[in-house]
Amino acid sequence: MSVRTAFATALKVLRKKRGLTQEALSGNITQSHVSQIENGKTSPSLEAIIELARTMELSPVALMALVCAAQDELTASDVLELAKKDLQSISLLKVAIPLEVEAKPHPGVAAAAKTREKVQALKEKGFSQADIARELVMAESTVRRHWHRQD
C-alpha cells in the first residue's frame, strides 16, 4: 500500500473514531484539502500532519504510527515498538534534540582567527610587522591584514 493511501485510510479511520466531519478537521486546512487527502489525491505537508493530529487531539507520532501500520500491515503497537528499538540502537531514545545545532565555524575562519590572535599578541608585545612575519613564518601582507583587524 502506498504512503498516500495509508495516510488516507488512517485519517478516515481516526476522523470517524473521533466522530468528526471533514469540516471539523479543517482548522488551518480547508475541508476540500482534507477531502483530497482522504481520497488519496494529495499528500499532506508536515505542517498539515501536525495540524490534523492536534485537531484530533493526538500526537503527530500516533497519527504517523497508524499510517505506518496501515502501510506495512502491522499494528500501531508494532510500529511504535520498532521505532523505539531504532532510536535505542542509535542512542537517541532518551535524548532531547536541540532546536538549533551548534554552528561550527569553517576551518579556514577558525584558522584565521587563531592567526589573528597570535599577530595581535605579538603586536601588543611591541613586535614590528616584519618581526611577526619572521616569528610566525608568514608573509608580511598576511601580518598586515591581521595587524589592522580587531574582531
Side-chain angles (χ1 to χ4, degrees):
M1 175 183 297
S2 74
V3 175
R4 186 180 288 184
T5 303
F7 196 94
T9 302
L11 185 60
K12 280 183 211 173
V13 167
L14 275 169
R15 182 177 58 76
K16 289 178 180 179
K17 187 95 169 151
R18 293 285 196 202
L20 299 170
T21 63
Q22 288 180 346
E23 186 67 36
L25 268 185
S26 58
N28 292 336
I29 304 166
T30 65
Q31 182 275 324
S32 64
H33 192 135
V34 173
S35 176
Q36 288 178 335
I37 293 168
E38 282 192 359
N39 289 312
K41 294 182 180 177
T42 189
S43 297
S45 66
L46 182 56
E47 290 82 6
I49 292 169
I50 292 170
E51 177 72 23
L52 289 166
R54 291 196 174 139
T55 300
M56 291 184 288
E57 299 178 346
L58 288 172
S59 80
V61 173
L63 172 55
M64 289 310 298
L66 288 172
V67 172
C68 293
Q71 183 183 18
D72 297 337
E73 298 180 8
L74 298 169
T75 67
S77 177
D78 293 337
V79 169
L80 292 170
E81 198 56 44
L82 286 169
K84 183 177 178 180
K85 287 178 184 175
D86 287 345
L87 292 172
Q88 280 176 327
S89 74
I90 56 174
S91 302
L92 288 176
L93 182 63
K94 296 184 179 187
V95 175
I97 304 296
L99 288 178
E100 291 185 26
V101 178
E102 183 179 319
K104 293 184 180 177
H106 185 278
V109 173
K114 285 185 180 183
T115 300
R116 191 165 25 265
E117 287 174 15
K118 291 177 184 176
V119 168
Q120 292 297 323
L122 293 173
K123 177 182 173 183
E124 288 175 14
K125 290 182 179 180
F127 282 63
S128 69
Q129 290 181 17
D131 293 337
I132 294 172
R134 279 191 296 280
E135 178 75 22
L136 298 179
V137 190
M138 65 177 58
E140 283 190 50
S141 59
T142 303
V143 172
R144 260 192 308 280
R145 187 174 63 245
H146 293 297
W147 181 278
H148 297 290
R149 285 196 63 173
Q150 297 291 326
D151 295 332

